[in-house]
Amino acid sequence: MDIHEALYTTRMMRRLRPDPIPLETQARILDAAVRAPNGGNTQRWHFVAVDDPALIRQFSHLFRQARDLEYAKFGNGAGPMVATAPGADVAAHAETMRRMKGSGNYLADHFEEVPLLLFVYAIDDLGGANIYPAIWSALLAARAEGVGGVMTMVLRNFENRVNEILSVPVGEGWKMSAMLALGYPLGKWGVAADRRPVHEVSSRNHWDDPFGVEVPQPLWPPRDETAASLAAAS
């Protein structure tokens, strides 16, 4: 797969099929993840792959409780995604949140059917500087394998219970960074079209100085390929 196709079309997938992900595929995803850059090449990460249906059922109950706690925060006007970025379209943001809640409801309702949970742990991670590149590499590698997924942190509301279930040696300093729910998606891949363009969210040399070029449309796929595909479809 072309790297730009992976970068432009990888998105969070919450509607997943229950089909198991072969171990060879899981290995390729994690092998890509551990090639990610990390400070000093210390590799202070650990990935716990969970495909035991009994364990997934346990986590499904915790996930639904944790999600209720998160939405209670949103209802009180708290939470990191309630407010839009300065200059963003408030109505569009509200619609995005509505759609995200719908797909999140589906994941919560069908959590027992998720074929693979990947719990990601790190030590002393300085805000995620080392682990998040590895997580994104895992999601990009999954995209290349036709596997979708979503990164969520809501289970950190029950971090002690999760650590207990997974027998995490917390005394060594391990902290849960995130959980990925992975599976073959029911939805379709596609370029995210609802992004504010580069020139609206970028500047050069000083905060409000123009970036220098306008990018009104996604730069992938290249225009000639887009025209050819449209011609072929007509």
Side-chain angles (χ1 to χ4, degrees):
M1 173 179 286
D2 174 74
I3 188 171
H4 287 92
E5 181 179 1
L7 287 167
Y8 272 74
T9 64
T10 300
R11 63 187 183 88
M12 296 298 153
M13 295 286 198
R14 297 176 179 85
R15 294 180 170 90
L16 305 171
R17 290 158 42 194
D19 311 59
I21 301 172
L23 284 178
E24 295 82 0
T25 302
Q26 296 182 34
R28 286 192 292 270
I29 291 170
L30 284 176
D31 191 53
V34 301
R35 309 299 158 184
N38 62 101
N41 195 30
T42 53
Q43 305 176 56
R44 291 181 294 186
W45 48 38
H46 192 88
F47 307 86
V48 184
V50 174
D51 58 5
D52 181 340
L55 283 179
I56 292 174
R57 279 194 297 273
Q58 285 191 63
F59 288 124
S60 71
H61 300 309
L62 288 178
F63 182 82
R64 285 190 276 267
Q65 293 177 56
R67 194 162 175 273
D68 288 343
L69 289 174
E70 291 298 310
Y71 275 104
K73 295 178 187 176
F74 292 148
N76 293 326
M81 294 180 290
V82 172
T84 61
D89 187 316
V90 175
H93 177 71
E95 173 60 18
T96 296
M97 293 297 292
R98 185 195 66 79
R99 288 188 283 105
M100 190 177 76
K101 184 176 181 181
S103 62
N105 287 341
Y106 183 95
L107 176 63
D109 292 342
H110 296 263
F111 199 93
E112 289 88 347
E113 301 170 18
V114 175
L116 180 65
L117 305 178
L118 189 62
F119 289 87
V120 184
Y121 282 81
I123 292 177
D124 233 1
D125 197 34
L126 302 175
N130 293 317
I131 199 61
Y132 290 122
I135 290 174
W136 187 232
S137 290
L139 288 168
L140 289 173
R143 169 70 182 94
E145 299 283 347
V147 173
V150 61
M151 179 180 73
T152 175
M153 300 175 184
V154 298
L155 279 177
R156 293 199 298 192
N157 285 295
F158 295 102
E159 187 171 3
N160 291 339
R161 180 60 181 140
V162 171
N163 292 338
E164 180 184 351
I165 294 172
L166 297 177
S167 303
V168 177
V170 293
E172 297 176 4
W174 294 104
K175 295 281 293 182
M176 180 169 60
S177 299
M179 184 204 75
L180 308 184
L182 298 171
Y184 295 99
L186 290 169
K188 296 181 179 180
W189 308 103
V191 178
D194 57 350
R195 296 294 193 268
R196 296 174 65 191
V198 170
H199 56 275
E200 288 188 10
V201 297
S202 306
S203 57
R204 189 174 303 281
N205 298 322
H206 299 93
W207 186 271
D208 283 328
D209 288 354
F211 176 66
V213 64
E214 293 195 358
V215 187
Q217 300 293 330
L219 297 178
W220 187 93
R223 289 186 179 183
D224 56 341
E225 291 182 16
T226 304
S229 65
L230 290 174
S234 61

